[in-house]
């Protein structure tokens, strides 16, 4: 185990040294206007001519206790990008960033994120920090404290993967989130499943009453868009509009004025 951890530490350090981690942005759109209103930051690893997806390396880093370094790397780079956009006079769009539950449950880590934002002179409301539903299920008490700590610094809080767990509605009662990201599984099945549509419509109606914005993930068809627009979903992201793209392509396509 010790040898494996040391090997992973070296692997991580090499990835940083040789600039192998690349951040891509998946655009997020207002479903009514179809205008871009934000993006989600995702990380890929480019090694020996291959693209390694996060599902492969993130679990290993989590197990080895290296995920905090990766989270800080992504967070700081997003702050750098936002500062560059600001200095260039580009349109500033909020960016959602995945943080591991281990980090969001650590108040010192959250405070460090606040200091990084100050360092780059970025408004914290341009950063959306994501709690996953599965992480919240494991420890609602700590998740609730994390939400309060994140909000106290001015960050936006979202819940990712909503609908994959068993206690979704109970969590909404306890966690004060700003944005609810509806899991792709609902989007995939909703057009063929009447019961799924009833549940999804109830989620969106309930979110509106709680003043929570909703985002449908993994949208791929016009039929899905039309249905989600009809039932009052606020935002969408998915291949119907655009796949995750490089920072340069995102700037050229969406924010240069």
């Amino acid at each position: 185990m010790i040898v494996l951890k040391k090997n992973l530490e070296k692997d991580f350090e090499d990835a940083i040294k040789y600039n192998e981690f690349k951040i891509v942005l998946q655009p997020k759109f207002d479903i009514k206007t179809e205008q871009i209103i934000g993006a989600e930051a995702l990380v890929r690893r480019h090694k020996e001519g291959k693209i390694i997806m996060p599902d492969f390396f993130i679990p290993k880093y989590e197990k080895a206790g290296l995920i905090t370094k990766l989270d800080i790397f992504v967070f700081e780079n997003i702050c750098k990008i936002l500062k560059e956009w600001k200095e260039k006079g580009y349109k500033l769009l909020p960016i959602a960033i995945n943080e591991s539950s281990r980090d969001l449950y650590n108040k010192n880590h959250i405070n460090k994120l606040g200091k990084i934002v100050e360092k780059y002179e970025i408004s914290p409301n341009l950063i959306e920090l994501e709690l996953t539903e599965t992480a919240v299920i494991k420890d609602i008490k700590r998740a609730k404290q994390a939400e309060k700590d994140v909000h106290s610094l001015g960050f936006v809080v979202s819940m990712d993967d909503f609908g994959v767990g068993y206690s979704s509605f109970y969590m909404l009662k306890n966690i004060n989130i700003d944005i609810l990201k509806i899991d792709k599984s609902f989007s995939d099945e909703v057009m063929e499943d009447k019961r799924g549509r009833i549940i999804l419509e109830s989620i969106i109606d309930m979110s509106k009453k709680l003043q929570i914005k909703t985002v449908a993930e993994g949208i791929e068809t016009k039929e899905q868009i039309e249905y989600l627009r009809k039932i009052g979903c606020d935002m969408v992201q998915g291949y119907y509009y655009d796949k995750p793209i490089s920072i340069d392509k995102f700037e050229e396509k969406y924010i240069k004025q």
Side-chain angles (χ1 to χ4, degrees), residues 63-77:
K63 193 172 182 179
L66 295 168
I67 195 63
T68 299
K69 291 183 178 181
L70 182 60
D71 283 349
I72 290 292
F73 171 84
V74 173
F75 186 91
E76 184 151 15
N77 273 275

Side-chain angles (χ1 to χ4, degrees), residues 121-149:
E121 301 177 318
I122 298 299
S123 175
N125 64 12
L126 286 171
I127 303 288
E128 173 191 329
L129 297 178
E130 297 184 350
L131 281 166
T132 64
E133 180 185 350
T134 48
V136 174
I137 287 173
K138 291 178 181 177
D139 197 332
I140 289 181
K141 184 177 179 181
R142 292 180 74 189
K144 189 172 183 177
Q145 185 59 53
E147 169 260 304
K148 289 181 178 179
D149 292 340

Side-chain angles (χ1 to χ4, degrees), residues 28-255:
K28 188 186 300 181
F29 294 84
D30 184 299
I31 199 167
K32 291 181 181 178
T33 66
E34 297 195 303
Q35 297 297 307
I36 189 166
I37 54 171
E40 179 177 4
L42 303 166
V43 64
R44 307 284 188 256
R45 184 174 178 182
H46 293 238
K47 185 177 182 180
E48 299 174 352
K50 298 179 181 179
I51 298 176
I52 305 172
M53 301 301 282
D55 288 349
F56 180 79
F57 59 83
I58 284 181
K60 294 180 180 180
Y61 290 156
E62 285 180 333
K63 193 172 182 179
L66 295 168
I67 195 63
T68 299
K69 291 183 178 181
L70 182 60
D71 283 349
I72 290 292
F73 171 84
V74 173
F75 186 91
E76 184 151 15
N77 273 275
I78 289 299
C79 288
K80 288 179 183 178
I81 290 163
L82 286 169
K83 183 175 183 178
E84 288 175 8
W85 290 353
K86 181 180 177 181
E87 291 174 345
K88 292 176 180 178
Y90 292 168
K91 178 167 57 177
L92 293 180
L93 295 172
I95 307 295
I97 304 174
N98 292 286
E99 289 275 316
S100 72
S101 58
R102 177 184 299 180
D103 289 338
L104 286 179
Y105 292 168
N106 184 334
K107 190 167 184 176
N108 289 333
H109 176 81
I110 293 173
N111 289 336
K112 186 172 184 177
L113 300 185
K115 290 178 181 177
I116 292 172
V117 165
E118 290 179 1
K119 173 183 173 182
Y120 290 96
E121 301 177 318
I122 298 299
S123 175
N125 64 12
L126 286 171
I127 303 288
E128 173 191 329
L129 297 178
E130 297 184 350
L131 281 166
T132 64
E133 180 185 350
T134 48
V136 174
I137 287 173
K138 291 178 181 177
D139 197 332
I140 289 181
K141 184 177 179 181
R142 292 180 74 189
K144 189 172 183 177
Q145 185 59 53
E147 169 260 304
K148 289 181 178 179
D149 292 340
V150 169
H151 270 143
S152 70
L153 294 177
F155 295 113
V156 175
V157 180
S158 68
M159 184 180 292
D160 199 12
D161 301 334
F162 186 83
V164 299
Y166 300 102
S167 307
S168 303
F169 293 98
Y170 177 71
M171 283 185 292
L172 287 183
K173 181 178 79 70
N174 286 276
I175 308 294
N176 182 26
I177 60 170
D178 304 297
I179 299 171
L180 188 67
K181 301 188 74 175
I182 300 165
D183 187 67
K184 185 179 184 297
S185 60
F186 272 103
S187 305
D188 289 341
E189 300 170 5
V190 73
M191 305 312 298
E192 308 295 332
D193 183 5
K194 182 179 179 181
R195 292 171 68 89
R197 289 198 299 272
I198 291 170
I199 293 170
L200 180 56
E201 289 167 19
S202 298
I203 290 170
I204 290 175
D205 181 61
M206 176 186 59
S207 296
K208 286 189 178 300
K209 290 175 180 176
L210 292 171
Q211 297 183 315
I212 297 171
K213 295 289 186 181
T214 50
V215 182
E217 299 182 286
I219 302 306
E220 297 179 353
T221 69
K222 185 177 182 180
E223 185 181 21
Q224 288 174 318
I225 292 288
E226 290 175 347
Y227 170 70
L228 289 164
R229 185 181 292 126
K230 179 182 177 182
I231 65 173
C233 184
D234 297 302
M235 298 171 276
V236 291
Q237 65 182 73
Y239 279 32
Y240 177 80
Y241 285 110
D242 212 338
K243 63 183 179 180
I245 56 178
S246 69
I247 304 297
D248 290 343
K249 287 182 179 178
F250 188 89
E251 288 182 6
E252 189 66 37
K253 193 170 183 179
Y254 294 112
I255 67 167

